[in-house]
Amino acid sequence: MKWTKSLIQTLREDPGDAEIDSHKLMVRAGLMKKLAGGLYTYLPLGMRALNKVQRRVREEMDRAGALEIVMPILQPAELWKTSGRWESMGPGMFRVKDRAQHDYAMSPTAEETVTEVVKGIVSSYRQLPVTVYQIQWKFRDEIRPRFGLMRSKEFLMKDAYSFDTSLEAADASYMAMFDAYRRVFARCGLKAYPVEADTGDIGGKFSHEFHVLADAGEDGIAFCDGCGYAANLEKAERRVAARDDAPCGEMETVPTPGAKTIDEVSKFMGVPGSAFVKSLVYVADGRPVMVCVPGDRDVNEVKLRHFLDAKKVELADYDTVLAATGANAGSVGPVGPADATLRIVADQELRGARGCITGANRDDHHIRNVDLDRDTAIKAGDYADLVVVRDGDICAKCGKPLVIKRGIEVGHVFKLGTKYTDAFRAVYKNDSLEEKTMVMGCYGIGVSRTVQAVIEQSHDRDGIVWPASVAPYQVCICLLDPDRAEVAGVADELESALESAGVDVIVDDRSERPGVKFKDADLIGFPVRVVVGAKGLEKGGVEVKLRREDKSKTRVVPPADAVAAITELLAGC
Ligand SMILES: [Zn+2]
């Protein structure tokens, strides 16, 4: 490919709306062009990278025995109503009507559709297990699209779905995908870590997210160096030491006028936030419940939902808080709420807490010297792990400190159970001809997001540093004297020799200064740069350099040996 025919547009300036390096670089290197908020055109270079990631995904899905299909993007509302997700997906799902006023979803995912499809084909245990996958555009109505392909309205995703005869059998399908994911990301040159994630209603350890570590990542992940434990912050657990608080005096109510937050009250009273019990009123499936956590901690709503065995938990509104406690949200506490039957649950760290400060259930008042056992109705069984872990918390598995890092989620494997197959009555006949419900798993890879994650993980101040496996072109030949036929001839010969060796190569044949060509080659990040110029050839060679090495590592190679030298270098990146 010749640069002058390639529609490459590079930019010197960062786009104004880009907050993270990978987004800036994708636009500046001419991989993609913004059409509107959250919508991008993949330009020829970006398309090549996207296609290469797709190829890696496809090869590993096929190797794992998954079968490729493609399902419609437009999915009838009836399917989504059957699962109950027409409502629960909320405004994040794009919906359209056809001319007959029939509703459709623009697929954000495809559990419903695939279940409908498979149930129409599979009738016997002999056809199971089966895993199907598609690489298809997905849609999400992001409130605030940002970070380029990380939070876009339209994105390319690989979604796979496994169907098995039983929960136990589904483990094998899950592990096959888990292993395939490890290989996909490794082959894309990514360091992606499997991280335990919340399993929703299924339970067990059958949900993992694959994360690429990056400071720009939106997700927090707790890691333990001691035992290798890794979990996202929704899921991550901690161990707490038993407390040995000294007995405290009688409770004392103190006025705290105008102080609403723990920060404000702690400043007002001159004591640290950790001395407080932070109390919040939630509504769990319609019933109010008070949640108490250490004053310097945040409630983990996912853990809370599981502990309460609730479908939905949300912060209570003004009236509910007032009716339950007798006060506004800033002054509530576990001591004598207005509703004496109000259930109060507390984080495990508060078990045996004495001498703490709580809201008084009276506006603008707090109570000191609270002994939770003595002064509240919290039951022994209502202490549980209910907070978000943070740096330095103790690993629940081994007792070493946890470290919190940032990650970009590029994949998710999930054992679904029978949520959808129950709703769609997707059954098979077992060997006794009894009808049984199929057990599902679902597995996603953000294909377009993976392209950007590669860049986020692999770039420097000059631009992208592509791994050879997904680079738009593996080699850029910088032709310094395009008007001199003998020099251009060397470049042409090298180009065809490399192509014959299966290497993707682009020749920068523009009439630009060498500095411009080198800058663009570094910005786009071709793994290998070859400089072909009259001066070099007079000295007997072409210059070969790896993108990830500095100039001092440049090799001068006779043109006849260049293909061998380049393919050897590419094998290492
Ligand atoms: Zn550990």
Side-chain angles (χ1 to χ4, degrees):
M1 171 61 72
K2 295 293 193 286
W3 195 296
T4 47
K5 307 281 181 207
S6 66
L7 207 66
I8 294 174
Q9 179 192 44
T10 58
L11 306 174
R12 291 283 159 257
E13 300 294 321
D14 288 333
D17 64 342
E19 297 164 74
I20 60 175
D21 289 348
S22 53
H23 181 190
K24 293 173 188 167
L25 287 171
M26 287 199 78
V27 175
R28 282 189 51 209
L31 300 176
M32 65 181 191
K33 194 170 180 64
K34 182 174 162 182
L35 179 68
L39 297 172
Y40 293 90
T41 300
Y42 295 80
L43 297 173
L45 286 178
M47 198 59 211
R48 291 183 66 90
L50 187 70
N51 280 337
K52 288 190 177 181
V53 171
Q54 287 192 69
R55 206 177 301 157
R56 306 283 98 85
V57 170
R58 220 169 240 130
E59 284 161 1
E60 292 303 333
M61 286 298 108
D62 295 348
R63 172 143 62 134
L67 305 167
E68 186 167 11
I69 61 174
V70 173
M71 290 176 275
I73 289 169
L74 278 182
Q75 303 180 343
E78 286 65 34
L79 293 176
W80 291 83
K81 286 175 182 163
T82 301
S83 68
R85 289 208 290 181
W86 184 253
E87 275 75 39
S88 67
M89 291 298 284
M93 188 159 77
F94 276 106
R95 296 150 208 259
V96 293
K97 282 182 193 296
D98 67 10
R99 63 180 77 199
Q101 300 301 306
H102 295 136
D103 287 312
Y104 295 83
M106 289 182 72
S107 175
T109 171
E111 283 81 6
E112 285 82 355
T113 304
V114 77
T115 307
E116 176 74 9
V117 170
V118 169
K119 98 169 184 188
I121 300 172
V122 171
S123 56
S124 159
Y125 72 97
R126 289 193 186 87
Q127 294 163 283
L128 298 174
V130 66
T131 299
V132 293
Y133 78 97
Q134 65 172 351
I135 298 178
Q136 178 64 292
W137 295 96
K138 303 288 187 307
F139 299 84
R140 186 166 48 209
D141 193 355
E142 291 285 349
I143 296 175
R144 193 181 158 211
R146 59 198 295 213
F147 308 135
L149 303 181
M150 298 291 178
R151 288 243 163 258
S152 51
K153 288 182 170 169
E154 185 176 324
F155 48 97
L156 191 61
M157 195 173 134
K158 187 284 301 178
D159 43 330
Y161 306 89
S162 62
F163 294 82
D164 277 278
T165 54
S166 68
L167 272 170
E168 298 70 48
D171 293 353
S173 299
Y174 182 93
M175 286 317 297
M177 283 296 116
F178 185 93
D179 293 339
Y181 275 35
R182 283 181 172 256
R183 290 194 298 268
V184 166
F185 296 123
R187 292 186 63 201
C188 290
L190 272 177
K191 275 204 186 82
Y193 296 86
V195 165
E196 284 181 27
D198 181 49
T199 49
D201 305 326
I202 307 299
K205 277 188 194 152
F206 286 97
S207 178
H208 287 88
E209 293 167 351
F210 285 78
H211 281 269
V212 173
L213 296 186
D215 293 338
E218 289 189 88
D219 300 301
I221 304 159
F223 281 95
C224 173
D225 283 340
C227 67
Y229 175 71
N232 72 14
L233 284 189
E234 280 189 346
K235 164 92 179 174
E237 294 165 0
R238 66 175 184 139
R239 186 189 293 176
V240 296
R243 350 176 33 120
D244 185 22
D245 292 2
C248 59
E250 288 302 302
M251 288 191 290
E252 183 191 347
T253 302
V254 290
T256 49
K260 296 266 181 268
T261 64
I262 293 279
D263 260 2
E264 289 163 1
V265 183
S266 102
K267 272 200 195 100
F268 183 85
M269 295 179 73
V271 280
S274 55
F276 286 79
V277 171
K278 186 197 278 185
S279 308
L280 299 156
V281 181
Y282 278 85
V283 174
D285 291 347
R287 294 172 64 94
V289 56
M290 183 182 287
V291 183
C292 296
V293 299
D296 54 352
R297 289 280 181 171
D298 293 318
V299 174
N300 181 323
E301 294 184 2
V302 174
K303 288 181 182 174
L304 176 65
R305 186 164 55 78
H306 288 315
F307 180 63
L308 297 175
D309 198 16
K311 286 202 166 55
K312 188 179 176 189
V313 297
E314 55 187 344
L315 275 172
D317 61 20
Y318 178 90
D319 291 335
T320 309
V321 174
L322 194 62
T325 67
N328 287 313
S331 304
V332 306
V335 181
D339 173 1
T341 67
L342 179 70
R343 183 173 177 194
I344 307 172
V345 299
D347 181 64
Q348 53 179 352
E349 189 186 330
L350 293 175
R351 198 189 293 272
R354 293 164 166 169
C356 37
I357 301 165
T358 74
N361 295 321
R362 182 177 157 199
D363 282 352
D364 292 331
H365 286 77
H366 280 75
I367 309 177
R368 33 166 150 246
N369 292 337
V370 175
D371 175 329
L372 289 187
D373 285 334
R374 182 189 66 189
D375 304 320
T376 75
I378 305 173
K379 297 194 180 74
D382 277 342
Y383 287 93
D385 179 7
L386 296 176
V387 299
V388 182
V389 301
R390 64 185 179 207
D391 229 44
D393 275 349
I394 302 306
C395 171
K397 298 255 152 71
C398 78
K400 296 260 163 46
L402 294 172
V403 182
I404 310 294
K405 296 180 181 168
R406 308 300 302 170
I408 298 166
E409 186 188 339
V410 285
H412 194 171
V413 289
F414 200 104
K415 196 166 151 186
L416 275 172
T418 57
K419 179 174 172 179
Y420 297 94
T421 45
D422 275 336
F424 284 81
R425 295 198 32 77
V427 295
Y428 67 95
K429 288 209 172 68
N430 69 9
D431 55 359
S432 321
L433 296 178
E434 295 160 330
E435 277 198 347
K436 299 279 178 193
T437 305
M438 291 183 244
V439 174
M440 276 177 81
C442 66
Y443 317 93
I445 289 180
V447 176
S448 43
R449 180 183 272 213
T450 295
V451 173
Q452 193 176 327
V454 169
I455 296 169
E456 191 60 44
Q457 193 172 73
S458 186
H459 68 274
D460 61 19
R461 52 195 294 255
D462 296 321
I464 302 167
V465 184
W466 285 106
S469 61
V470 292
Y473 292 95
Q474 295 163 312
V475 175
C476 177
I477 297 175
C478 291
L479 173 56
L480 297 192
D481 305 283
D483 301 331
R484 292 179 59 173
E486 76 280 13
V487 180
V490 172
D492 285 345
E493 268 175 39
L494 184 52
E495 181 190 12
S496 29
L498 283 168
E499 278 172 354
S500 303
V503 175
D504 294 326
V505 53
I506 187 164
V507 180
D508 189 349
D509 57 340
R510 294 176 295 172
S511 318
E512 290 280 2
R513 285 178 293 112
V516 172
K517 297 191 177 201
F518 297 160
K519 249 192 157 52
D520 276 344
D522 280 351
L523 173 62
I524 298 170
F526 307 108
V528 174
R529 187 184 81 189
V530 183
V531 179
V532 178
K535 247 190 242 164
L537 289 174
E538 276 161 26
K539 287 187 206 148
V542 298
E543 287 179 12
V544 180
K545 179 190 157 309
L546 277 176
R547 169 66 178 85
R548 58 180 155 82
E549 294 172 346
D550 65 38
K551 277 192 211 114
S552 63
K553 293 278 177 61
T554 303
R555 304 149 186 79
V556 177
V557 184
D561 300 340
V563 174
I566 291 165
T567 45
E568 195 188 320
L569 282 174
L570 281 173
C573 61

